[in-house]
């Protein structure tokens, strides 16, 4: 990629001063009217997580890396990510990339995402490409159907209908499977596009259940799209949801799919992946013949493609924040060059697809009062993404402790999805579902011995901070409330956690503590509290919010990190 081919948004977005920004927002089409380039276009988004409406989504203040992986894409945040991509603070691209100045930029630029806006942008870009004689494929990186109010109310169906209205050509999957195997397979059958996966196979016989790839003619050339499902579905979610299926990472099977696609005439091979950025980088070094990886799952955004060996990698953001346009210049045998453009979904400055708007309204109308009823007002910034701590998870901990004062500590899952609530903004049930929209939402109370608590924290730290991406099988670090500890991410396995306190007192390895947890399987390790009936976590938090009326959570991380500069967001209102 030469200097003239650098990312459009690094000139049109990254360096805009106040006057330039004002001119662009007066005429937003300047952001999205792009000159033609290359032989084929891929319009790519990932990790929508069912978010139907425009909302706010702040990037994490901290992305703590194992020492060997520090400084890599996927572990850059705040000033570091702005410097890496040459982005000025207080610009539109900084709003997408960094937590810095978030509230100020949110008020200036408005919410992001919204299905009607994203569809309109996809259609506009596709029409532009086709008017110039080209061809564009619409690719969905997965985690689209679940984790929102609209998803829960329709069991994912509204999101499939949206994909069909939008014209998605191919998708891959992960959280889709938390709807249960039967429902997921039913919805894949309804999808007008195609679910691709080299690694969803029959657990008993090893037979593939979906096409591993599809080859598309793109002018003079042929491009193969290979699909990769998240390989740790059974590790991350209750096994009963996907009985009879295997999702295992299988380098041999993936290599065979790539080789077969090339044998059938593919000039270039694109891996549409839900592996996560670090695992995709590791695969790029080990699997031959992949020209480009479109990477989802870890919610990263790469304004410039990352070159690993002979493979380009582009990560597609999350929550409907951006549409990635990837234009390919092809040759017989691969990709000669490419141009990546981040197209921000700035809801206040984009048109809506009217048919999508009408469809969403028809689905929401019977549930409008339920979804949009204000439950409380947040007087502080509520956010989810971070390696170790978030104000949202602290709020959930407070809610559980208020309703169940006998609980000693609360575990909250470190999923990467969840919206952001600005200071002064009302919290609705739709927001609760955006944070807590599990298909298995039950809050469990159970007894754990102190030594079990320590072992659990060590196991989580081992998973997150291993330097080998092939052994990173989860999200961020599970959040805790009622407990404090010191974390050394560079210590040997089994020695990363120290100075653990529960309720302000040192952890007693032999004492039984009453723990609460949801959205995972930790309750299986402990002894269930007698007489307690599990209830959905969003009902618990709703009850707390209604009782409070107003809530305020100032960032107060309960984990001290050795060897890292841990940050909390500064809020200017």
């Amino acid at each position: 990629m030469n200097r003239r081919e650098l990312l459009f948004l690094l000139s049109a977005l990254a360096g805009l001063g106040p006057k330039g920004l004002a001119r662009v927002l007066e005429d937003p089409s300047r952001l999205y009217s792009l000159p033609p380039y290359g032989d084929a276009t891929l319009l790519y988004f990932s990790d929508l997580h069912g978010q139907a409406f425009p909302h706010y989504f702040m990037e994490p203040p901290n992305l703590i890396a194992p020492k060997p992986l520090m400084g890599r894409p996927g572990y850059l945040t705040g000033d570091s990510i702005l410097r890496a991509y040459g982005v000025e603070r207080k610009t539109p691209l900084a709003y997408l990339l960094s937590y810095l100045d978030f509230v100020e930029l949110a008020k200036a630029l408005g919410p992001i995402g919204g299905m009607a806006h994203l569809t309109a942008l996809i259609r506009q870009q596709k029409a532009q490409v086709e008017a110039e004689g080209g061809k564009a494929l619409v690719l969905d990186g997965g985690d689209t159907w679940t984790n929102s109010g609209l998803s829960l109310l329709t069991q994912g169906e509204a999101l499939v209908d949206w994909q069909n209205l939008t014209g998605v050509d191919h998708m891959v999957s992960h959280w889709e499977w938390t709807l249960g195997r039967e429902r997921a397979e039913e919805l894949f059958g309804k999808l007008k596009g195609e679910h691709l996966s080299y690694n969803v196979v029959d657990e008993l016989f090893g037979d593939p259940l979906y096409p591993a790839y599809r080859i598309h003619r793109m002018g003079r050339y042929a491009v193969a799209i290979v699909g990769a499902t998240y390989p740790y579905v059974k590790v991350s979610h209750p096994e009963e949801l996907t009985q009879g299926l295997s999702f295992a990472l299988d380098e041999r099977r993936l290599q065979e799919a790539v080789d077969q696609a090339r044998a059938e005439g593919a000039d270039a091979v694109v891996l549409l992946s839900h592996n996560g950025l670090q695992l995709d980088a590791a695969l790029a070094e080990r699997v031959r013949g992949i020209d480009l990886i479109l990477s989802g799952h870890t919610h990263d955004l790469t304004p410039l493609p990352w070159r690993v060996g002979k493979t380009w990698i582009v990560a597609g953001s999350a929550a409907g924040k951006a549409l990635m346009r990837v234009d390919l210049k092809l040759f017989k045998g691969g990709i000669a060059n490419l141009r990546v453009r981040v197209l921000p979904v700035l809801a206040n400055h984009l048109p809506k697809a009217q048919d999508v708007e009408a469809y969403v309204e028809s689905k929401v109308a019977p549930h409008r009062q339920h979804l949009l009823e204000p439950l409380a007002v947040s007087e502080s910034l509520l956010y989810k993404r971070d390696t170790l701590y978030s104000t949202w998870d602290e709020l959930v901990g407070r809610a559980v402790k208020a309703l169940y004062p006998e609980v000693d500590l609360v575990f909250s899952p470190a999923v990467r999805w969840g919206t952001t609530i600005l200071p002064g903004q009302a919290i609705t049930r739709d927001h609760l579902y955006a944070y807590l929209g599990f298909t298995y939402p039950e809050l469990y109370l159970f007894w754990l011995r102190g030594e079990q608590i320590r072992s659990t924290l060590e196991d989580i730290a081992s998973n997150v901070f291993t330097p080998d991406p092939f052994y990173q099988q989860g999200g961020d670090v599970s959040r805790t409330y009622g407990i404090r500890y010191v974390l050394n991410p560079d210590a040997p396995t089994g020695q990363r956690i120290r100075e653990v306190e529960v309720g302000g007192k040192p952890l007693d390895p032999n004492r039984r503590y009453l723990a609460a947890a949801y959205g995972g399987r930790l309750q299986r390790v402990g002894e269930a509290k007698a007489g307690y009936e599990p209830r959905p976590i969003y009902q618990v938090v709703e009850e707390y919010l209604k009782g409070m009326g107003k809530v305020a959570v100032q960032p107060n991380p309960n984990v001290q990190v050795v060897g890292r500069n841990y940050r909390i967001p500064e809020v200017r209102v």
Side-chain angles (χ1 to χ4, degrees):
M1 178 177 294
N2 60 44
R3 296 296 298 175
R4 290 179 299 173
E5 303 297 348
L6 278 176
L7 177 67
F8 169 74
L9 291 177
L10 291 183
S11 59
L13 284 177
L16 282 178
K19 292 183 179 179
L21 172 59
R23 286 195 299 269
V24 165
L25 296 185
E26 287 174 3
D27 181 18
S29 63
R30 292 178 58 193
L31 297 179
Y32 307 106
S33 181
L34 310 177
Y37 179 86
D39 306 288
T41 296
L42 308 177
L43 301 174
Y44 169 59
F45 64 92
S46 188
D47 295 275
L48 182 65
H49 287 286
Q51 296 309 305
F53 310 112
H55 66 123
Y56 300 100
F57 190 88
M58 188 180 79
E59 291 302 302
N62 302 280
L63 288 172
I64 297 174
K67 186 168 286 186
L69 304 183
M70 290 175 66
R72 288 163 56 116
Y75 289 114
L76 301 172
T77 189
D79 280 323
S80 296
I81 196 166
L82 299 183
R83 288 196 304 270
Y85 293 112
V87 178
E88 293 184 20
R89 287 184 65 163
K90 300 186 179 182
T91 59
L93 189 52
Y95 181 39
L96 299 186
L97 278 176
S98 173
Y99 74 95
L100 296 172
D101 313 302
F102 178 77
V103 173
E104 182 181 352
L105 288 169
K107 291 180 176 181
L109 297 174
I112 54 88
M115 296 198 305
H117 301 86
L118 180 54
T119 298
L121 181 56
I122 289 171
R123 289 175 177 171
Q124 181 263 338
Q125 292 296 305
K126 189 170 183 178
Q128 187 179 107
V129 171
E130 292 175 348
E132 295 158 354
K135 183 175 180 180
L137 294 176
V138 180
L139 303 177
D140 180 339
D143 280 3
T144 298
W145 296 351
T146 59
N147 316 125
S148 72
L150 188 62
S151 171
L152 289 174
L153 292 168
T154 65
Q155 290 187 289
E157 186 166 10
L159 281 303
V160 178
D161 291 341
W162 170 76
Q163 288 175 308
N164 290 339
L165 287 169
T166 301
V168 169
D169 292 295
H170 297 296
M171 72 173 291
V172 291
S173 58
H174 170 204
W175 277 88
E176 284 76 10
W177 294 101
T178 67
L179 292 165
R181 177 179 179 177
E182 182 177 355
R183 180 60 170 168
E185 290 178 343
E186 177 186 356
L187 293 179
F188 284 131
K190 185 176 181 181
L191 182 70
K192 292 181 180 178
E194 192 171 31
H195 176 238
L196 299 177
S197 179
Y198 85 92
N199 63 319
V200 177
V201 302
D202 181 274
E203 193 169 37
L204 184 59
F205 299 105
D207 297 327
L209 300 182
Y210 297 93
Y213 62 90
R214 191 66 66 194
I215 297 176
H216 293 266
R217 296 298 309 181
M218 310 286 276
R220 295 176 297 163
Y221 303 101
V223 176
I225 309 296
V226 181
T229 302
Y230 182 60
Y232 305 119
V233 172
K234 286 186 175 293
V235 175
S236 301
H237 308 287
E239 303 96 319
E240 58 267 23
L241 295 173
T242 52
Q243 286 185 350
L245 297 179
S246 171
F247 304 86
L249 181 66
D250 189 331
E251 293 177 62
R252 178 192 58 79
R253 189 185 290 270
L254 177 57
Q255 185 67 69
E256 288 175 353
V258 172
D259 293 344
Q260 187 174 349
R262 287 199 176 275
E264 292 179 14
D267 295 298
V269 174
V270 176
L271 181 65
L272 180 62
S273 167
H274 203 87
N275 290 323
L277 192 57
Q278 303 309 317
L279 181 52
D280 281 328
L283 285 172
E285 295 178 332
R286 295 167 66 158
V287 178
R288 304 179 311 278
I290 300 175
D291 298 289
L292 169 66
I293 299 177
L294 301 177
S295 182
H297 175 61
T298 42
H299 294 200
D300 301 298
L301 174 59
T302 54
L304 293 173
W306 183 18
R307 185 72 162 175
V308 178
K310 297 181 179 180
T311 302
W312 297 104
I313 304 177
V314 174
S317 189
K321 292 180 71 169
L323 175 69
M324 307 298 286
R325 175 168 166 171
V326 184
D327 296 295
L328 307 177
K329 184 173 288 186
L330 302 170
F331 70 100
K332 289 294 182 182
I335 296 175
N337 209 339
L338 75 166
R339 182 182 64 184
V340 177
R341 297 178 173 179
V342 181
L343 304 178
V345 186
L346 299 173
N348 289 354
H349 308 286
L350 275 173
K352 300 177 183 178
Q354 295 302 317
D355 55 337
V356 172
E357 181 80 355
Y359 174 77
V360 171
E361 175 59 30
S362 72
K363 291 297 181 183
V364 168
H367 312 286
R368 179 170 294 277
Q369 176 62 24
H370 174 78
L371 285 177
L372 303 183
E373 177 188 357
L375 305 174
V377 172
S378 177
E379 297 180 326
S380 61
L381 180 71
L382 296 178
Y383 63 95
K384 175 69 178 181
R385 274 306 315 273
D386 188 270
T387 302
L388 293 169
Y389 166 89
S390 77
T391 52
W392 173 259
D393 289 299
E394 180 165 332
L395 178 66
V396 172
R398 291 183 185 182
V400 173
K401 183 71 173 175
L403 271 62
Y404 303 100
E406 69 273 25
V407 165
D408 294 302
L409 69 158
V410 182
F411 287 90
S412 186
V415 296
R416 294 181 176 91
W417 41 272
T419 188
T420 301
I421 307 293
L422 302 182
Q425 187 177 354
I427 305 171
T428 66
R429 282 192 192 86
D430 191 59
H431 292 136
L432 291 193
Y433 295 138
Y435 284 112
L436 303 170
F438 294 86
T439 56
Y440 47 99
E442 292 79 14
L443 175 72
Y444 295 93
L445 304 187
F446 51 96
W447 298 97
L448 289 176
R449 289 184 297 104
E451 187 54 40
Q452 290 177 298
I453 294 171
R454 180 184 294 277
S455 295
T456 297
L457 295 174
E458 286 285 3
D459 288 346
I460 293 169
S462 178
N463 189 315
V464 174
F465 298 112
T466 175
D468 187 344
F470 285 91
Y471 292 96
Q472 295 177 0
Q473 298 177 343
D476 297 316
V477 171
S478 294
R479 319 306 164 82
T480 53
Y481 181 80
I483 184 172
R484 305 187 75 85
Y485 61 93
V486 174
L487 165 71
N488 183 352
D490 303 318
T493 299
Q495 301 177 39
R496 292 186 171 99
I497 306 298
R498 66 174 195 251
E499 299 177 36
V500 184
E501 296 180 353
V502 177
K505 298 180 180 179
L507 181 73
D508 183 343
N510 298 311
R511 178 186 161 184
R512 291 205 317 164
Y513 294 87
L514 186 60
Y518 65 96
R521 296 180 290 183
L522 182 58
Q523 68 276 2
R524 301 183 186 184
V525 178
E527 176 189 343
K529 182 188 177 186
Y532 170 75
E533 186 66 30
R535 57 187 295 212
I537 183 62
Y538 41 74
Q539 290 182 6
V540 173
V541 178
E542 176 183 333
E543 184 177 337
Y544 174 76
L545 292 175
K546 284 184 171 181
M548 295 294 291
K550 293 182 179 180
V551 294
V553 183
Q554 300 304 325
N556 183 26
N558 63 325
V559 183
Q560 179 185 340
V561 186
V562 175
R564 302 291 191 277
N565 180 17
Y566 194 83
R567 305 169 180 86
I568 59 174
E570 297 178 358
V571 180
R572 299 181 180 90
V573 295

